[in-house]
Amino acid sequence: MDQLNSYLFIAAILFSLGVFGVITRRNGIAVLMGVELILNAANINFIAFSRFGGMNFDGHVFGLLVIVLAAAEAAVALAIIINIYNNMNTINVDQASQLKQ
Amino acid sequence: MEHILSWLVWLPIIGMVVITVIPRSQEDIIKKVAAFFTGVQLLFSILLWKNFDSANGSMQFMERAEWIPSFNISYILGVDGLSLPMVILTSLLCFIGVFVSWNITKAVKGYFALYLLLDTGLIGVFLALDFFLFYIFWEVVLLPMYFLIGMWGGPQREYAAIKFFLYTLFGSVLMLVGIIGLYFTCGKTFDILLLMETAPDALKNELWWGMSAIKVIWVLLFIGFAIKVPIFPFHTWLPLAHVEAPTAISVILAGVLLKLGVYGILRINYGLMPDAVWWFAGSLAFLGLINVIWGGLCALAQTDLKKLVAYSSINHMGYALLGMAAVIAAGSINGGDLKAAQAGLSGAVFQMFNHGTISAMLFILVGVIYDRAHHRDIEGFGGLANQMPIYAGITALAFFAGLGLPGLSGFISEFMCLIGAFPVFKAIVIASTIGILLNAAYFLWAFQRIFFGELNEKYSDLPEINRLELFTLIPLAVITLFFGIYPRPYLDLIKATMDVIIENVVFVANFASM
Amino acid sequence: MNNIFINYSLFILFLPLVAFVVLIFTGKRLPRQGDWVAVSAVLFTLVLSSAMFVAMLLDYNPDFSQQSGFTWMDLGAFKIEFGILVDNITIIMLLVVALISSCSHIFSLKYMEGDIRYSRYYAYLGLFTFSMNGIVLANNLISMYMSWELVGLSSYLLIAHWFEKDSAADAGKKAFLTNRVGDIGFFIGIMLIYSSIGSFLFSDVFAGVAAGKITGITLTLAGIGIFLGAMGKSSQFPLHIWLPDAMEGPTPVSALMHAATMVAAGVYMTIRLFPLFTPDALLVIAYVGGFTAIFAASIAITQNDIKKVLAYSTVSQLGYMILAVGTGVYTAAFFHLVTHAMFKANLFYGSGSVIHAMHHALHEKHDHETDPQDMRNMGGLKAKMPITYWSMLVSTLAIAGVPLFSGFLSKDAILAGTLAFAQHQPEHFLLPVFGFGAAAMTAFYMFRLIFMTFHGEHQMPELINDIHESPKEMTGPLVLLASLSVFVFYTLPNFNPISDHGWFTDLVVPRTAVVPGSMTAHEIADYAHHAHGLAMSLSIAVIVLGIALSVLIYFKKVFSAETWASKLGFLYDWSLNKFYFDENYNRFLYQPFLNLSKKVAWLDWEIYDRYFINGFAWVIEWYSRVTGKFDYDGIDQGLVDGIGRIVGATGHNLRKIQTGRLQNYLLYVVAGIIVMIIVQAF
């Protein structure tokens, strides 16, 4: 069980770093990178539980799904950021506040 | 002849619709359309008169249709000897009124549209035999009248209009309560003919808050009608409204509107609650006396000619009240004096008609002089008899008719009212003969101040009455003169119905112990 | 013979009305303004009524009476029959009316020449004649009352003919209103009778009274009520005030009014309805008449206006007639009515002729200040106006009651009746005193009039050359009427100048009153017959006394009128000022009445309407304002909007957390989770 704890511990640290990045960064790319960290923290958890929880390959399947999802998300998000950059000449997410009244 | 009554009622509404589609600038056409529709209405009412069977005292030309079956409300029209003369009077005065209003310049379209609506309301009240319908027409009269006074009237028109409206609405509300009371105590029907049969029995032993229901309903309805008559102390809307209203509307007010009250009392109070006639006749005669004396005294003091004429209306309607009260003379308690009852009641109904024609003439005459001199102050004229001899002559005729000179119709009805009421109310009638003197005093005095003496220099170029004005006055003058000499055609027309009313009241009285 | 009378009467009745209608509508466009229409109509009625008169004389039947009628109004039980009644009284009266009316019409041709309302004037004369004939021919109370009022109307129109003058307009109004006061009494009388008897026909009424359907105090009151009407028309005290003022009308109208139409109507009506007066009512009538006779005579003594003297003399003479009716000798009243009509009309035409001449003369001198009617400006006209003088003298002798003239006969009959009445009921001794006193005064003031006008020196000598006798149209009627004042026309076929026996007394015989308990006609006639000799000597004595005084004062000037006047002091003043009746009526009757009407109107409009009726509106308005305030400030603004405001404020404050930044929200989420974890942990 100690091994599981250390995996979870690393995943928690990764998750916290990701959240921290998302919350504090103003740069769109950086925020995106934070999101990647959060996703990968989740992946570590999936794999860890799959290995130590006796759940066969369910965890691996989800891990692969998350990687694919992350790739798609990164593509869409980068496209949005490029569009923001084209329109506003910045990738600071605080500036993209036109919808705010 | 099938639906002649409906035609009479709805013709002016058709006219109103036609007028609303005519462009506002076509004033001449609007006037002609109004004249056409009221003229056709007059023809229809004459046709009705020709086909009316005067030997039959009950309702004729009845029309009946379902309207709101869930409340037992129907569309019932009918005419008898009581309403027929009123219908003729209304259509005549409405026709004449169009020509009296020929000189209206302000918002002609609206004026005539409202005028025709008023016409429908008036005719409808006289013809409706369903209480609900009656009430609706009653209110329909009110609305155009409010606007006609309030928009086309004199300087104080808005005050006058609102006063008239509130006063009469107050009466209408009491009346509505009375109507609803009748509806619920007498078998949930609004059919007046049916109510005439059921109401006396249904109301007989009914008590409301310890009071006899019949008296409560009588008083509620009576106040509603009394305001229209107007009976003292509900009379003060009249001088104001008459004075402020445009001439044609004063004519309709005095000529027809006041008759709604008397008609209502005779049709509804007398018809539905004959028991209470006995209870109330004394008060009615007394109110008549007060009307005669009070109206006469007030008229004597007026300096505004139109106000004088307005107060003279109060005075004249007093005679009608006296005549109505005379019905109870026919009862066995009073010696069964059928002659007096007939004279009084017919006199009252005749007085309604005569006052209609005479006061219409008087108001038209006031309008004529007002159009020329732009004031109505009696003291402000003088010596006009030489300046306007024809006008003076017609005014003399109207004034003498108003003061009850024999040979003119006013005398006959007044004398019938008094002679009818005399056997029962001796003291009251003797006191009210002072009114005969008062009538003469205020009319003659006014006549002298306007027409006699040296000509007032200001008016040395006052034009004589013109053809249009003459056209409106002559029919009325001829009627006044004709009925003054030979009243029989009128009396023959109403006689059978009068007998029905008397019979209704007296028949009940012989079994009632009120 | 039968229907001729009725047909003639109808023609006589309606011809003047036709003239009236024609003249009113077309008068000004006709040649000569249509005076010939009126004159020919009235002359035609004169011919017809003369024919009827002749027929009556030929028939010589005292009981002659015919009726014809139609149903005017029929309501089943309530019925009014209109009709005409022709008997000897009617025929004589019709002739009198037609005669006087014709004279007035002809007299006016010159007198009214050039008047601005010439055709109107003739139209009104026609109406006047029509209404009077309506009264004469009526066979029922209603048509009589209607004609009665129409007489009032025509008198109003004619008295106010020169309405540019305020005094004329006032006089017309006064006549109408004073008459209306009487008419109210008449109307109440009619109602009392009708409510007991149920018919308006004279014959039914008399039958009803005889059958006792109406008795006692009711009948007396009915009689007095009806008599009140007569008091108004015949200008009896205290309703006499209108007649002297009525002199404002043209003189021919005064003649017509005083002789045949208006004032005669009252007497005629009491004669017509005599049978229904109870003894009590008759007593009232007698006293009113007697008092009026002496009262008016005492005023006439001091008047200076020639027409005023004649006016008061008419009032006094009417008092005689009423007195006669009251004492039961009503045929004598009728007799006096007829004779008086002739000489009084003549006197008025005479005065008209004098005034016309004076007016003309003053006009020549361009003097519009001097009153042409004032006798103090006249005198010595006898030589200038002989026809006027002689005819007026004849009439004066007649009115004074000098034998050989008609007035003597009729006045004598009245005085005899009065004396007989007092002889049998001595407590009423005042009645003959009134009668004889008035007779003396009449003789005095009439001769005063003659002397002041025609004898002595003219008081304005500069005028005398311009005064001429009037034209034929005016003197013709004078001569005709003066000759009709001679006794012989009334006593034929007898020629006894001191006895009234003749066709008149044969044809007009008194009837017994139908009221149970009245004296019979025979008794009355019998008593009067016994009193006749005494009455005649007494009356001649007082007449001689009156004339002698007049001669001494005004002709021989033995006594000065002025010193006598000052000796009499306030009596003279009272008489000159007509006992201040107009002033007192004005002060105690008209003004209070007008004030009352003003008060009532003020009460009605300024108090009742303004405070009571509008007060309702105020109360309701105040109430609605209060509820409105509560509704708006309390419920709407306070409660409903309050909730809204709270919600709004909350939202407003909460809104600040919504930054729109995802990162903030994420922070909140993390913070939330941390909080949840901490909460979970403890």
Side-chain angles (χ1 to χ4, degrees):
Chain A
M1 286 307 273
D2 286 341
Q3 285 168 315
L4 179 62
N5 276 347
S6 33
Y7 283 106
L8 293 182
F9 193 69
I10 287 172
I13 289 171
L14 259 179
F15 181 81
S16 301
L17 285 172
V19 168
F20 182 78
V22 170
I23 290 172
T24 53
R25 292 289 151 173
R26 295 287 177 266
N27 190 315
I29 308 280
V31 171
L32 204 58
M33 288 164 75
V35 172
E36 291 297 326
L37 285 184
I38 292 167
L39 287 172
N40 284 315
N43 266 356
I44 290 172
N45 273 13
F46 275 127
I47 302 298
F49 283 114
S50 181
R51 172 69 181 81
F52 298 102
M55 282 186 259
N56 301 331
F57 293 104
D58 289 0
H60 296 84
V61 172
F62 268 100
L64 283 171
L65 188 69
V66 169
I67 290 167
V68 172
L69 189 104
E73 180 246 319
V76 172
L78 282 171
I80 289 172
I81 288 167
I82 288 166
N83 268 310
I84 287 174
Y85 180 78
N86 284 343
N87 281 323
M88 295 177 178
N89 248 344
T90 177
I91 50 169
N92 188 339
V93 289
D94 279 358
Q95 304 285 313
S97 63
Q98 276 94 337
L99 283 177
K100 194 182 159 195
Q101 58 159 180
Chain B
M1 295 308 294
E2 190 67 13
H3 292 294
I4 185 162
L5 299 186
S6 284
W7 276 107
L8 271 170
V9 173
W10 302 114
L11 253 176
I13 288 284
I14 300 173
M16 187 181 94
V17 172
V18 171
I19 281 181
T20 49
V21 301
I22 299 174
R24 159 179 315 278
S25 55
Q26 303 286 335
E27 297 189 348
D28 222 42
I29 296 179
I30 291 175
K31 287 173 189 167
K32 279 175 187 156
V33 167
F36 174 76
F37 278 95
T38 49
V40 171
Q41 192 194 28
L42 179 61
L43 285 181
F44 271 55
S45 63
I46 290 169
L47 199 68
L48 181 67
W49 171 38
K50 281 284 148 217
N51 286 290
F52 183 80
D53 176 14
S54 61
N56 180 355
S58 51
M59 285 294 164
Q60 302 182 28
F61 302 99
M62 292 273 289
E63 284 178 37
R64 197 181 272 276
E66 290 276 299
W67 185 19
I68 310 177
S70 49
F71 289 108
N72 246 335
I73 295 169
S74 334
Y75 172 81
I76 312 173
L77 300 179
V79 66
D80 66 356
L82 178 60
S83 47
L84 178 62
M86 292 300 106
V87 170
I88 297 172
L89 178 71
T90 310
S91 46
L92 176 70
L93 289 184
C94 284
F95 179 64
I96 286 175
V98 171
F99 296 95
V100 175
S101 356
W102 211 257
N103 295 329
I104 292 275
T105 50
K106 177 177 163 186
V108 175
K109 183 170 166 178
Y111 179 88
F112 281 103
L114 286 169
Y115 184 88
L116 289 174
L117 180 62
L118 177 68
D119 189 357
T120 286
L122 293 167
I123 294 266
V125 173
F126 290 128
L127 290 179
L129 284 181
D130 182 275
F131 223 152
F132 194 80
L133 193 64
F134 178 88
Y135 185 76
I136 286 183
F137 281 126
W138 186 272
E139 295 297 302
V140 163
V141 170
L142 209 52
L143 190 81
M145 206 45 137
Y146 171 74
F147 287 109
L148 286 167
I149 297 175
M151 293 180 65
W152 286 270
Q156 269 189 297
R157 54 179 176 257
E158 278 152 22
Y159 173 56
I162 197 83
K163 191 165 191 170
F164 164 78
F165 193 83
L166 291 181
Y167 232 125
T168 39
L169 199 66
F170 171 69
S172 305
V173 169
L174 293 185
M175 194 168 111
L176 187 62
V177 176
I179 292 174
I180 294 169
L182 275 171
Y183 177 74
F184 283 110
T185 40
C186 307
K188 300 209 172 174
T189 177
F190 286 111
D191 183 337
I192 291 177
L193 295 184
L194 204 61
L195 282 171
M196 282 177 73
E197 286 167 21
T198 57
D201 289 331
L203 288 172
K204 190 161 274 170
N205 298 315
E206 189 83 14
L207 283 179
W208 288 358
W209 313 293
M211 284 178 287
S212 150
I214 192 168
K215 290 180 184 170
V216 175
I217 295 179
W218 171 284
V219 169
L220 287 171
L221 292 173
F222 180 77
I223 292 177
F225 296 131
I227 286 175
K228 278 268 162 64
V229 172
I231 296 172
F232 182 93
F234 305 114
H235 65 284
T236 57
W237 64 269
L238 180 130
L240 191 70
H242 277 55
V243 167
E244 295 304 323
T247 303
I249 302 307
S250 301
V251 168
I252 303 281
L253 262 176
V256 186
L257 209 79
L258 306 191
K259 312 304 172 301
L260 297 182
V262 179
Y263 173 81
I265 294 173
L266 284 177
R267 171 73 75 220
I268 311 290
N269 282 16
Y270 275 51
L272 268 50
M273 293 162 279
D275 288 307
V277 174
W278 288 75
W279 164 68
F280 202 76
S283 320
L284 198 61
F286 186 68
L287 289 170
L289 167 68
I290 294 182
N291 255 33
V292 168
I293 303 291
W294 191 270
L297 282 173
C298 287
L300 189 61
Q302 297 308 317
T303 52
D304 181 334
L305 185 58
K306 208 169 181 183
K307 220 165 169 185
L308 182 145
V309 175
Y311 272 112
S312 85
S313 290
I314 298 175
N315 166 291
H316 282 143
M317 294 317 283
Y319 293 110
L321 299 182
L322 276 173
M324 281 155 62
V327 174
I328 63 164
S332 50
I333 305 162
N334 294 312
D337 192 347
L338 187 58
K339 292 175 181 177
Q342 283 180 339
L345 190 63
S346 311
V349 174
F350 198 19
Q351 174 77 352
M352 281 159 75
F353 186 85
N354 291 339
H355 177 258
T357 49
I358 294 168
S359 66
M361 252 200 302
L362 290 169
F363 277 113
I364 296 174
L365 288 163
V366 174
V368 168
I369 195 76
Y370 185 71
D371 283 348
R372 284 163 175 66
H374 305 293
H375 74 89
R376 294 184 303 256
D377 185 12
I378 298 174
E379 309 281 357
F381 299 106
L384 293 187
N386 281 334
Q387 184 65 29
M388 309 169 74
I390 299 174
Y391 177 71
I394 295 178
T395 311
L397 181 90
F399 274 21
F400 279 115
L403 66 82
L405 189 84
L408 299 168
S409 57
F411 165 75
I412 292 170
S413 45
E414 281 172 24
F415 128 81
M416 284 170 75
C417 289
L418 290 174
I419 216 154
F422 187 75
V424 195
F425 308 107
K426 287 199 173 63
I428 288 177
V429 171
I430 288 177
S432 68
T433 50
I434 296 170
I436 298 177
L437 184 65
L438 281 171
N439 279 357
Y442 63 74
F443 273 126
L444 285 188
W445 197 28
F447 193 79
Q448 181 187 358
R449 284 179 289 173
I450 295 170
F451 293 102
F452 289 171
E454 289 293 335
L455 179 63
N456 190 336
E457 286 305 317
K458 263 195 293 184
Y459 300 123
S460 54
D461 56 350
L462 218 56
E464 175 64 292
I465 187 165
N466 62 35
R467 272 161 196 274
L468 182 67
E469 289 158 346
L470 270 181
F471 173 73
T472 59
L473 283 164
I474 284 176
L476 298 172
V478 168
I479 289 172
T480 310
L481 202 59
F482 178 77
F483 282 142
I485 295 166
Y486 194 59
R488 224 175 141 170
Y490 186 97
L491 295 174
D492 283 348
L493 195 64
I494 63 171
K495 147 168 105 173
T497 308
M498 295 301 109
D499 283 346
V500 170
I501 296 176
I502 294 170
E503 214 169 276
N504 187 29
V505 172
V506 174
F507 176 77
V508 168
N510 288 341
F511 296 93
S513 52
M514 287 201 62
Chain C
M1 196 77 182
N2 244 359
N3 279 318
I4 297 279
F5 279 101
I6 301 292
N7 289 345
Y8 276 23
S9 311
L10 285 175
F11 269 108
I12 292 172
L13 181 61
F14 286 112
L15 269 175
L17 183 68
V18 171
F20 164 72
V21 174
V22 169
L23 285 176
I24 277 286
F25 286 109
T26 64
K28 281 201 171 147
R29 273 163 298 192
L30 293 175
R32 283 187 56 82
Q33 296 206 22
D35 57 0
W36 49 274
V37 176
V39 173
S40 49
V42 76
L43 282 178
F44 199 58
T45 67
L46 179 61
V47 171
L48 289 177
S49 48
S50 309
M52 279 169 73
F53 184 72
V54 171
M56 177 189 82
L57 287 181
L58 290 176
D59 200 26
Y60 220 76
N61 174 11
D63 294 322
F64 170 79
S65 174
Q66 279 193 353
Q67 275 199 63
S68 170
F70 69 103
T71 307
W72 183 59
M73 199 187 265
D74 181 6
L75 291 170
F78 181 78
K79 245 184 217 166
I80 299 181
E81 308 265 345
F82 267 15
I84 55 178
L85 165 67
V86 183
D87 62 8
N88 293 344
I89 293 183
T90 317
I91 293 172
I92 295 170
M93 196 65 205
L94 281 179
L95 180 64
V96 170
V97 174
L99 182 65
I100 306 291
S101 184
S102 307
C103 289
S104 272
H105 276 75
I106 292 167
F107 192 84
S108 304
L109 287 175
K110 272 282 173 287
Y111 191 87
M112 298 299 286
E113 204 174 23
D115 191 84
I116 51 166
R117 282 180 293 277
Y118 188 69
S119 71
R120 266 301 142 82
Y121 172 80
Y122 270 103
Y124 294 157
L125 279 186
L127 182 64
F128 209 167
T129 314
F130 161 73
S131 0
M132 184 61 200
N133 284 338
I135 295 179
V136 174
L137 285 167
N139 76 340
N140 66 87
L141 290 164
I142 286 303
S143 70
M144 182 179 246
Y145 182 80
M146 290 175 70
S147 309
W148 192 260
E149 290 256 302
L150 285 178
V151 166
L153 167 73
S154 6
S155 70
Y156 168 78
L157 294 170
L158 283 167
I159 294 170
H161 180 71
W162 287 314
F163 55 71
E164 288 87 352
K165 275 196 295 180
D166 282 337
S167 55
D170 281 338
K173 186 179 65 185
K174 192 173 180 182
F176 195 91
L177 292 182
T178 315
N179 270 297
R180 269 247 153 154
V181 174
D183 293 354
I184 289 176
F186 191 4
F187 193 72
I188 292 173
I190 291 177
M191 290 195 291
L192 277 168
I193 288 173
Y194 183 77
S195 64
S196 308
I197 291 173
S199 172
F200 294 109
L201 284 177
F202 292 157
S203 47
D204 293 351
V205 171
F206 294 151
V209 173
K213 280 190 191 165
I214 171 170
T215 50
I217 187 78
T218 320
L219 185 55
T220 304
L221 285 177
I224 291 174
I226 285 177
F227 173 61
L228 208 64
M231 277 167 74
K233 278 278 176 298
S234 289
S235 134
Q236 296 296 296
F237 176 88
L239 298 180
H240 64 281
I241 44 163
W242 66 270
L243 190 62
D245 285 30
M247 293 299 111
E248 292 289 343
T251 305
V253 173
S254 306
L256 185 60
M257 190 187 287
H258 284 231
T261 50
M262 181 109 173
V263 297
V267 179
Y268 180 83
M269 181 256 262
T270 50
I271 292 167
R272 232 325 143 233
L273 299 178
F274 178 80
L276 61 79
F277 292 115
T278 58
D280 290 338
L282 285 176
L283 209 56
V284 173
I285 294 175
Y287 271 97
V288 169
F291 183 72
T292 308
I294 195 157
F295 168 81
S298 70
I299 295 176
I301 286 177
T302 57
Q303 297 304 306
N304 290 319
D305 185 318
I306 185 167
K307 281 178 79 180
K308 284 267 158 73
V309 176
L310 291 177
Y312 279 106
S313 121
T314 304
V315 177
S316 166
Q317 297 297 312
L318 289 165
Y320 262 119
M321 298 174 207
I322 296 291
L323 173 66
V325 172
T327 51
V329 285
Y330 74 96
T331 51
F334 186 55
F335 193 16
H336 196 56
L337 183 65
V338 174
T339 57
H340 174 256
M342 303 303 157
F343 50 69
K344 184 47 68 60
N346 182 27
L347 285 168
F348 267 108
Y349 294 135
S351 74
S353 169
V354 170
I355 294 164
H356 191 69
M358 283 291 288
H359 189 80
H360 187 71
L362 287 168
H363 192 71
E364 292 287 315
K365 289 273 177 291
H366 302 290
D367 182 351
H368 298 287
E369 299 301 312
T370 314
D371 184 1
Q373 304 192 7
D374 196 329
M375 293 193 293
R376 284 170 298 188
N377 299 331
M378 303 177 187
L381 299 182
K382 179 182 167 189
K384 288 284 182 183
M385 308 181 74
I387 304 178
T388 307
Y389 170 70
W390 284 108
S391 62
M392 275 186 90
L393 185 65
V394 169
S395 297
T396 302
L397 289 168
I399 197 173
V402 175
L404 291 180
F405 295 98
S406 60
F408 171 76
L409 301 174
S410 53
K411 196 176 258 186
D412 215 44
I414 292 174
L415 290 174
T418 315
L419 198 60
F421 189 78
Q423 278 171 345
H424 286 267
Q425 296 175 58
E427 67 274 23
H428 300 305
F429 68 93
L430 266 180
L431 293 175
V433 171
F434 288 151
F436 286 104
M441 289 190 202
T442 307
F444 176 77
Y445 67 70
M446 283 314 297
F447 275 92
R448 171 175 174 266
L449 183 145
I450 291 288
F451 293 142
M452 281 180 83
T453 311
F454 291 104
H455 290 270
E457 291 300 314
H458 197 279
Q459 302 298 312
M460 299 178 77
E462 69 274 16
L463 290 181
I464 198 79
N465 289 328
D466 287 321
I467 287 181
H468 306 289
E469 181 61 282
S470 300
K472 276 202 295 297
E473 286 88 343
M474 290 166 74
T475 51
L478 281 175
V479 175
L480 174 69
L481 291 171
S483 51
L484 284 175
S485 300
V486 178
F487 79 98
V488 70
F489 289 101
Y490 304 93
T491 59
L492 281 173
N494 302 326
F495 285 99
N496 182 354
I498 56 163
S499 163
D500 59 0
H501 284 295
W503 62 266
F504 194 96
T505 48
D506 285 346
L507 287 179
V508 181
V509 290
R511 311 211 178 276
T512 306
V514 293
V515 183
S518 305
M519 279 203 287
T520 64
H522 181 72
E523 281 170 335
I524 295 173
D526 205 35
Y527 294 158
H529 185 71
H530 286 298
H532 198 77
L534 179 60
M536 195 189 302
S537 6
L538 264 176
S539 80
I540 291 177
V542 295
I543 289 160
V544 168
L545 181 72
I547 296 177
L549 258 178
S550 184
V551 168
L552 288 177
I553 297 176
Y554 292 100
F555 189 59
K556 297 277 187 204
K557 312 245 174 178
V558 177
F559 310 111
S560 151
E562 284 76 20
T563 40
W564 273 65
S566 57
K567 267 187 202 155
L568 286 171
F570 74 95
L571 280 176
Y572 177 78
D573 270 351
W574 280 14
S575 166
L576 186 65
N577 291 301
K578 304 140 200 167
F579 293 86
Y580 296 101
F581 255 86
D582 285 331
E583 288 79 1
N584 285 329
Y585 274 19
N586 190 36
R587 189 189 306 162
F588 296 113
L589 222 59
Y590 310 147
Q591 292 308 331
F593 200 70
L594 278 181
N595 284 340
L596 173 72
S597 85
K598 288 209 180 88
K599 288 256 163 55
V600 167
W602 175 77
L603 196 68
D604 187 61
W605 198 243
E606 301 292 337
I607 301 294
Y608 174 70
D609 183 59
R610 173 173 290 182
Y611 293 106
F612 189 72
I613 296 294
N614 288 5
F616 267 113
W618 289 338
V619 169
I620 289 168
E621 202 192 335
W622 176 80
Y623 176 74
S624 69
R625 214 179 292 136
V626 168
T627 46
K629 207 168 169 58
F630 178 71
D631 188 59
Y632 188 74
D633 291 353
I635 295 180
D636 184 62
Q637 293 294 305
L639 202 62
V640 179
D641 283 15
I643 292 171
R645 264 200 304 277
I646 290 168
V647 174
T650 317
H652 189 77
N653 292 327
L654 280 178
R655 175 170 169 248
K656 288 176 185 154
I657 336 174
Q658 298 283 82
T659 57
R661 290 190 187 130
L662 276 173
Q663 290 153 330
N664 287 2
Y665 298 154
L666 200 57
L667 183 64
Y668 301 149
V669 172
V670 172
I673 290 170
I674 291 169
V675 169
M676 280 164 69
I677 290 169
I678 292 169
V679 170
Q680 193 69 36
F682 297 95

